[in-house]
Amino acid sequence: MARGLYGVTRKAAGSVDRWLRRVSADPAVDQAPPPVEPPISADLLDLLRHMGVALIRSGETTTMVKDILDDLARRYHATEVHFFVLPTGVFVRVQDSRGSAVDLLEADSDTLRLDQISALYRLIDRIKQEAPPPADATAELAEILTSPQPTPVWRLLVGNVVLTVGLGLMLNPTSTALLGYIVLGLTVQLLIMGADRFRLMSTALPVLAGAVVTLLSFGFPNALGGGNPSQLLVPSVSSLLPGAMLTNGSIELATGSMIAGASRTIYSFNKLILLAFGVLVGLQLLGDRATSVAPHPGHGLGWWTPEVGVLLIGLGHSWRASAPPKSLPWLLVVLYAAFAGQQVGTHLGGGLLGSFLGGMIAVPVAYLVQRARNAPPTQAVFLPAFWMLVPGGMGLSGVSELVTKNDSNSLHILVTAVLTVLAIALGVLVGSGLVASTRQPRLEGMVEEWLGPGENQRTTGSSEPGSASQSSQ
């Protein structure tokens, strides 16, 4: 009986073994499912993420960053990509019938130099024309972002001094303050360069700069300021004023980008408050010496000082921001156009109208400039106009007076500064609407009809500063 049971067991085991072999040999069972391919290549996804961060650092609004990324994705025939852009990073969402995936890349707060911005937009133009392999474009973008500072240290120092003197000639054109502008402009640039090397100093730079400038201005009021030390403060810290950030924040709030606009605006006002806190620290360290300085009327240099101030602003900004070669004339064209619009508006209806016209005129002029041969991109010549138009000094002065004196008039100064920034932002929106590719009739189309195709016409014509289109935020 045992032998019979053993035989039955062997037969059963053999049957099971033969069945398993047949099943394993079945092609339908043996064939593995094909791997799931991503909707777009990893190289293209990497390019779009890094390009979005670079555009944020170039000073573009989040709406325009999203539009440019959409154009680049369509150039590579990727239609299932969606972007959510913030001032601190870019979210990329890829979706198809199999599901969706989200990737992101954080953005640094440092602003690109003008030469890097020009190279960035040249790369965007090349991508739209040639669509090179995404990996090659990403490598070229990395070279742009990591390129060394082309401007020598001495020119950076001289550039900030010239910039400070230029703004001083626009705000306080007195001969007695020229020495103060030179000394304080040099001091602030040294602090900026030190902050680039030491992280802790970078965090406290607004407070440190405000305190040092105040100590020098009020500690040597007659030697540096001709008896008017308070008039030295704003031109001296002008390179730290968040003019472009304030205007971009106002534009984003006006166009519905609430998260981006609110974050930029709060960041800008926080920087103004830190500068004002530094001024307060300097005044408290001086004690009675600061309050004992009596205002002294300065001697004006003449009617021509604001015009010369604009020239010095353009020259100084091109040096300290490393503008690309041969871009200074085009930068000055935009600056003088914005200044002329501001002056005309101020004479016709006051400062708010002047700010509106200055912002409105700067955008079409920046677009016309890029049509010329070897002209820099629109954004590279428009950013200095942002900074020149925004009267950040009014905001800083108002915050300082609120902190030190609790004077109701300083609150009026703050409100005026906010309204001025809003007027500039509205002007930029209107100017962008004139040249935006999504609106009819378009200034761009009229210019093309009247003047013919430009020698340096770019494919990034839709990336004018500012935008009236809605973003996804």
Side-chain angles (χ1 to χ4, degrees), residues 162-176 178 181 299-313 336 339 343 388:
V162 173
L163 182 67
T164 303
V165 173
L167 189 63
L169 292 180
M170 290 187 65
L171 299 180
N172 178 35
T174 58
S175 58
T176 54
L178 290 178
Y181 295 147
H299 301 285
L301 293 175
W303 60 268
W304 45 268
T305 50
E307 287 76 10
V308 175
V310 176
L311 173 63
L312 295 180
I313 287 174
Y336 274 108
F339 175 73
Q343 293 298 306
M388 186 188 71

Side-chain angles (χ1 to χ4, degrees), residues 316-368:
H317 195 87
S318 66
W319 284 355
R320 70 179 304 274
S322 302
K326 301 180 181 180
S327 64
L328 178 60
W330 308 114
L331 191 151
L332 290 176
V333 168
V334 178
L335 284 177
Y336 274 108
F339 175 73
Q342 188 179 43
Q343 293 298 306
V344 170
T346 301
H347 287 298
L348 293 179
L352 293 180
L353 180 60
S355 299
F356 170 80
L357 289 181
M360 185 185 70
I361 291 175
V363 180
V365 173
Y367 165 76
L368 292 175

Side-chain angles (χ1 to χ4, degrees), residues 18 37 51 66 88 97 132 144 154 204 218 226 251 265 271 286 308 321 326 329 336 362 425 430 461 472:
R18 287 190 298 271
E37 297 292 337
M51 184 64 72
K66 179 178 178 296
T88 55
S97 59
I144 294 172
W154 68 267
F218 287 86
I251 292 174
T265 303
K271 196 167 185 178
L286 289 171
V308 175
K326 301 180 181 180
Y336 274 108
V430 173
S472 59

Side-chain angles (χ1 to χ4, degrees), residues 45 57 65 89 98 112 141 170 191 322 329 335 356 369 384:
L45 180 62
R57 295 179 60 191
V65 173
R98 294 164 292 182
L112 297 180
L141 176 61
M170 290 187 65
L191 292 176
S322 302
L335 284 177
F356 170 80
V369 160

